[in-house]
Amino acid sequence: MRTSLRLRVLSAKDVVIEEIRALIHNGTMTSGDRISTDELAERFGVSRTPVRDALQQLSVEGLVTITPRVGVFVREISPQEITDVYQIKTALEPMMAAWAAVRGTREQRAAFRGTFDELERLAHSNDVQEYVRALEERREALLTMARSDGLRDSFAVLDGRVRLLRFRNLSQPGRLTESAAQHRSIAEAIEAGDPDAAYVAMRDHMLDATARVRLLVVSEQPNGDPAPTAYSKLSKRTEGAR
């Protein structure tokens, strides 16, 4: 059974969620694949109820799509949607880091910096699954410090759409150590209570993540061309006006 950064007692539903999530992350289940509740129940040795409950949760996370009277499918995300979501996140996440630096208490900021050692350990062990889990726990800590219901609601909508892309991005060779180094800069700025440095560190991290995910999207396009973005369209119009 997989372990988290802290000891947890997992229910049947929790175990099934982790197993299905792993199957999607490692590519055993791919975008558009139909998911059979009966087959999963037999595979995991549980009743259909925890499987159905797990799929409902994974639907909330944005990993599967449940269509009444049709079936359950691994969620398909268009290149344009991926591009749009990452641009929105690049606008919002630096704001979250800056607010955390000024709204978080000294104790909260120090505790956030203190969790970095575990993140770095996971990066060096190349444990992508646990690294992603640690990032999500750190995101929760940032949102708590930022104290913004609006930001929390926005990320609740966005994160499910990029969770799979985040895993695939971080699975690239050397990516975990690069990511950890970027998160060190963010953590140090937040601990120092420096909103400007926190903003810049998070912005640079998001720009790098966006560029890497965009390369993943481009590699999957039939003609190898990137999906158009609002920025690229604006650039073309500007060039045409010269």
Side-chain angles (χ1 to χ4, degrees):
M1 184 179 294
R2 295 176 176 80
T3 58
S4 180
L5 301 181
R6 55 181 181 271
L7 183 63
R8 300 187 298 152
V9 177
L10 299 181
S11 65
K13 169 190 169 183
D14 292 331
V15 172
V16 173
I17 287 174
E18 292 203 354
E19 294 296 336
I20 298 174
R21 189 186 288 131
L23 291 174
I24 295 174
H25 284 166
N26 66 28
T28 302
M29 293 180 175
T30 60
S31 296
D33 282 356
R34 184 169 187 149
I35 299 174
S36 169
T37 302
D38 291 336
E39 289 179 5
L40 290 179
E42 182 178 355
R43 176 173 188 157
F44 302 137
V46 297
S47 69
R48 298 175 75 249
T49 298
V51 175
R52 284 197 301 265
D53 292 344
L55 291 173
Q56 287 288 346
Q57 177 59 41
L58 293 173
S59 175
V60 173
E61 292 184 11
L63 289 180
V64 305
T65 299
I66 300 175
T67 304
R69 296 183 296 280
V70 176
V72 182
F73 302 87
V74 179
R75 190 170 183 271
E76 295 184 90
I77 308 175
S78 71
Q80 184 63 60
E81 181 181 5
I82 293 167
T83 301
D84 291 349
V85 168
Y86 266 87
Q87 287 182 356
I88 295 170
K89 282 167 61 65
T90 300
L92 294 180
E93 296 218 10
M95 188 186 308
M96 173 181 64
W99 286 353
V102 294
R103 297 179 181 179
T105 66
R106 181 176 299 177
E107 293 75 17
Q108 286 176 320
R109 290 185 280 112
F112 181 77
R113 173 62 180 84
T115 63
F116 176 77
D117 290 342
E118 179 68 7
L119 190 70
E120 191 170 47
R121 182 189 69 77
L122 292 171
H124 288 310
S125 68
N126 204 36
D127 191 336
V128 180
Q129 189 82 15
E130 289 298 325
Y131 188 90
V132 170
R133 191 196 306 279
L135 286 183
E136 292 180 350
E137 291 178 350
R138 289 170 67 81
R139 159 65 62 71
E140 178 59 30
L142 284 174
L143 284 171
T144 297
M145 287 188 285
R147 289 185 280 174
S148 171
D149 290 339
L151 270 180
R152 183 178 292 279
D153 291 345
S154 297
F155 285 126
V157 173
L158 294 172
D159 280 350
R161 288 169 163 78
V162 297
R163 186 171 277 106
L164 179 57
L165 269 296
R166 181 187 297 125
F167 186 91
R168 288 169 54 195
N169 175 33
L170 292 172
S171 295
Q172 298 177 86
R175 183 62 187 124
L176 287 188
T177 54
E178 293 171 352
S179 171
Q182 293 168 355
H183 280 282
R184 177 190 290 276
S185 298
I186 296 167
E188 289 174 348
I190 289 173
E191 183 184 28
D194 187 336
D196 293 336
Y199 185 98
V200 170
M202 182 65 86
R203 181 200 63 195
D204 290 348
H205 167 64
M206 284 307 306
L207 288 173
D208 181 61
T210 300
R212 291 175 182 276
V213 169
R214 186 163 171 73
L215 286 176
L216 286 175
V217 174
V218 169
S219 69
E220 295 176 355
Q221 293 300 292
N223 57 4
D225 293 330
T229 68
Y231 297 149
S232 64
K233 291 176 181 177
L234 177 60
S235 177
K236 288 180 180 179
R237 287 199 298 269
T238 303
E239 291 174 0
R242 291 175 182 172

